[in-house]
Amino acid sequence: MASDTTVSSLPSAVVHAQLWLRAKVTEPVQLPWISTSLHPLVLLTLVCSVLYLLTPPRTKKQRLVPNIPVVGVGVGGIGAARKRFLSESRDMLLEGYRKYGGNGGMFYVPSPLGERLMIPPKYVEELKSAPVDKVDFVATFIEMFEGKYTTMGSRSTLHPRTVKHQLNQNLINVMPAVEAEIRDAFAAQIPPCEDWTALNMADKFVQIVARVSSRMFGGTALSQHDEWVQSTINFATDGFIGAQKLKKTPVWLRPIASRFMPEIQKISHHYDVARKVLIPLLQERDKTGERPLDLLQWMKENAQGEETDYNYIAEIQLKVSFAAIHTSAAAPTQLIYDLCAMPEYIEPLRDEIIQALREENGKLTKQAFLKMPRLDSFMKESQRFNPLLLITFERLVTDDLTLSDGFTIPANTQIGVPTHAVTMDSTLYPDPEKFDGFRFHRLKSHDPIAASRQVYAASNLASMSFGYGRHACPGRFFASNEIKAIMVYLLLNYDFKFPEGQQRPPSLVVETQYLPNHAATVLMRKRTPEF
């Protein structure tokens, strides 16, 4: 689940959408309602009039701060650099950070949204508590995913309030149900695998995480409701495809073109499914007085004003699934790729899990998780190399904003922190280009006082994959437990490896997103678990 991140970030099944888009989005948008039998002058007048009425007013032109470098501009100028950002953002951000950001400097990186200002940590501390009407977290996300048309992005505070308080305080209570759903989901998605069986685990993890997350959302009534589960998956996929297609459509044409895109039309269907499934469930709980420990119930109890409308709760729950499912499915996908590429880590991790469970009588308790520091470290190192987002702490500065040292960020500036580039800084992480699965375990051992800064779910200036400040991902603690529980089950119950000759597939760059590759297969074989 994500707030500052992902919102984020759409790995897993969405990669299929991206690969499809590379081939298909360049096709011209067809508007079947326009009759070609009209006189050309009448047709032109009609189209121009409609477009004039529907086109939103243009935002003010961006003003760049003098003397701050813009990276990646070469032959072809700024226009070519903005296009490069779509698939080369990682390299551009690394270049900018290594040249200008490592010593606390700033730089611009060109992007289709304009030149984004990458800021140093000293400003993050000051900006984390800035008024949301001046430093807007949601606006960046809405613009990135064409939220006006896809509905991606929400200013509701119901779900982050509920996650921060009820969910985070009840993690230990929801985990037994989560573990049970993991077992059921694996049984449903993974064939017997008595011998080595080739599987696309990226797709499998999306289905598994969708069920497991839905169990936390609303119990088995959701996790075993196939139409709900598939809608939560496809809601994100259709929104992603729709947004990417819209980005390749002229701004003035989007209000009309969006009405004829199948993906945008499907989004309404997903909301219909959410209302059809969730409203009767809420009404049934009203009748029986049942108060299960799940997110749906907690949102119902926390709702105020317009939030109490069950239609509103159903729609918000669907949007929560967008943040929770694909982001959490990315992590085990990257982890299994890393373990297949570096199998020397498998047995040490498996031994640690077995020992922890023995000490907790076979139960995956809170203490059992704490006794798996190597697994936590491996997860964090995998995240360092393959973050969900290359940039976090993204904000839109809506008015000129003067900071305490006198520096002024101009209005209409997109700001952010090049998170991946920061984690490749040798002053923060020695030998940063080397994957060291137990790096963070050693750091915790050497400095127990700062140990909490090194855990997977940590949010600090050296580790901002989950964002930072009040908009840091509120669901990161549940996500950490969910991913660990999935990896525990995977390591105890299966052997896995890449097919002969297959290397670890590189992650895919899509603007600021860093997505797990779906082109790879993994060979799976059932093993007899110790627990």
Side-chain angles (χ1 to χ4, degrees), residues 25 60 62 73 88-89 110 152 161 172 193 207 213 230 252 311 340 344 358 395 435 441 456 519:
V25 168
K60 295 179 181 179
Q62 180 182 7
V73 180
E88 299 179 36
S89 56
M152 300 300 182
R161 292 197 321 262
I172 192 64
C193 297
Q207 295 291 332
S213 297
Q230 298 312 314
W252 50 268
N311 288 285
C340 287
E344 65 272 17
R358 280 178 181 159
R395 306 287 189 270
F435 188 103
H441 176 51
Y456 180 72

Side-chain angles (χ1 to χ4, degrees), residues 149-411:
Y149 308 106
T150 66
T151 75
M152 300 300 182
S154 171
R155 296 189 182 277
S156 169
T157 64
L158 175 58
H159 49 299
R161 292 197 321 262
T162 304
V163 170
K164 284 180 181 178
H165 299 290
Q166 278 76 14
L167 176 58
N168 287 345
Q169 292 173 11
N170 284 279
L171 283 179
I172 192 64
N173 297 321
V174 302
M175 286 310 297
V178 165
E179 293 171 53
E181 196 64 46
I182 288 172
R183 291 192 295 269
D184 292 346
F186 265 89
Q189 289 297 320
I190 308 299
C193 297
E194 299 298 338
D195 200 355
W196 290 109
T197 304
L199 298 173
N200 186 315
M201 287 303 296
D203 288 344
K204 298 296 185 183
F205 280 131
V206 172
Q207 295 291 332
I208 290 168
V209 170
R211 280 190 54 166
V212 173
S213 297
S214 291
R215 183 69 173 262
M216 181 273 289
F217 292 160
T220 55
L222 295 187
S223 66
Q224 296 178 17
H225 195 299
D226 189 61
E227 187 178 18
W228 160 263
V229 170
Q230 298 312 314
S231 257
T232 61
I233 294 170
N234 295 330
F235 174 68
T237 305
D238 290 332
F240 183 84
I241 293 176
Q244 295 299 313
K245 291 174 76 170
L246 283 166
K247 287 181 184 300
K248 294 184 178 293
T249 304
V251 174
W252 50 268
L253 186 58
R254 291 176 191 175
I256 292 179
S258 63
R259 297 173 182 269
F260 299 94
M261 290 182 179
E263 296 78 17
I264 303 298
Q265 293 174 337
K266 290 176 185 176
I267 288 173
S268 295
H269 167 71
H270 301 316
Y271 280 114
D272 289 341
V273 170
R275 287 187 286 267
K276 181 181 73 174
V277 174
L278 296 179
I279 292 177
L281 181 56
L282 288 165
Q283 292 171 338
E284 180 64 21
R285 293 180 180 185
D286 286 338
K287 291 179 183 178
T288 63
E290 183 185 10
R291 297 179 59 193
L293 295 176
D294 59 43
L295 191 67
L296 186 64
Q297 182 67 25
W298 292 324
M299 286 203 299
K300 174 180 178 292
E301 295 172 0
N302 281 342
Q304 302 170 6
E306 67 171 354
E307 297 171 345
T308 59
D309 184 337
Y310 285 174
N311 288 285
Y312 183 97
I313 293 175
E315 292 174 7
I316 289 297
Q317 183 72 84
L318 186 63
K319 291 186 178 184
V320 171
S321 73
F322 164 79
I325 294 171
H326 289 279
T327 53
S328 295
T333 303
Q334 301 285 22
L335 285 163
I336 198 171
Y337 289 166
D338 287 332
L339 288 170
C340 287
M342 295 169 282
E344 65 272 17
Y345 285 101
I346 293 176
E347 285 307 317
L349 292 175
R350 191 173 279 157
D351 291 344
E352 179 183 69
I353 291 167
I354 293 170
Q355 181 61 32
L357 290 176
R358 280 178 181 159
E359 294 177 9
E360 295 298 317
N361 298 316
K363 295 181 180 179
L364 199 54
T365 62
K366 179 180 179 180
Q367 289 303 314
F369 279 134
L370 293 175
K371 293 174 180 178
M372 301 177 190
R374 288 182 175 83
L375 176 59
D376 189 274
S377 177
F378 192 88
M379 288 168 55
K380 193 170 183 69
E381 183 75 343
S382 179
Q383 181 190 62
R384 188 173 73 86
F385 272 79
N386 295 281
L388 293 169
L389 291 175
L390 298 168
I391 301 175
T392 59
F393 201 80
E394 289 199 88
R395 306 287 189 270
L396 174 65
V397 177
T398 57
D399 297 306
D400 284 6
L401 182 66
T402 301
L403 302 176
S404 57
D405 66 354
F407 178 77
T408 298
I409 302 176

